[in-house]
Amino acid sequence: MECDAGLVSPGGNNAKAVLCQRCGSKVLLPGSARYCQRELFLPSMRKKNALLADDSPDGEMLKDHWLVDDMYTFENVGFTKDVGNIKYLICADCEIGPIGWHCLEDKKSFYVALERVKHE
């Protein structure tokens, strides 16, 4: 998936609000995240308890992400329990996910996959 030009501002930030695909809850305000490309594996979308129970989840490699450098930038996001050295980002309202990825070794990098959210 190539990033839709209307989603990225000239400065490289998100031009629109980032919302949960399922419930529409606001995850990020416009301008609060930077577009980046990094290949990350995300398990298939499901509720948080099912996500944690699966030892070898199905999923996909995703390349287009919003990068947030401070967890307090999010309007609404939840985290799974640690899965190795990773926490997955989920919608805090409906608990569907993962919508993103965070490595515990890097305190300043929170990735939200463009394909797992909607924009408004």
Side-chain angles (χ1 to χ4, degrees):
M1 168 188 177
E2 277 303 310
C3 181
D4 179 351
L7 296 180
V8 182
S9 72
N13 289 13
N14 58 313
K16 299 178 179 183
V18 176
L19 310 173
C20 173
Q21 284 181 344
R22 182 172 181 229
C23 73
S25 183
K26 191 172 289 179
V27 176
L28 289 165
L29 294 174
S32 61
R34 192 177 72 234
Y35 174 72
C36 75
Q37 290 188 324
R38 179 176 176 182
E39 284 199 355
L40 298 171
F41 175 83
L42 287 181
S44 299
M45 296 275 282
R46 57 186 78 137
K47 293 284 277 182
K48 180 169 82 169
N49 54 358
L51 184 64
L52 293 174
D54 197 347
D55 289 339
S56 57
D58 292 333
E60 58 191 333
M61 291 296 287
L62 298 173
K63 184 175 83 168
D64 297 306
H65 303 276
W66 295 120
L67 175 61
V68 176
D69 63 9
D70 182 348
M71 68 185 270
Y72 297 107
T73 300
F74 290 100
E75 291 297 300
N76 181 24
V77 76
F79 295 89
T80 63
K81 292 181 181 169
D82 300 359
V83 180
N85 67 342
I86 294 169
K87 282 187 182 278
Y88 292 111
L89 281 59
I90 61 171
C91 174
D93 283 345
C94 70
E95 294 192 337
I96 199 78
I99 60 169
W101 184 94
H102 170 65
C103 178
L104 297 172
E105 295 168 5
D106 185 355
K107 303 289 185 209
K108 292 199 165 272
S109 295
F110 301 85
Y111 296 89
V112 176
L114 271 67
E115 290 183 38
R116 299 284 179 95
V117 292
K118 63 183 181 179
H119 301 85
E120 222 171 71

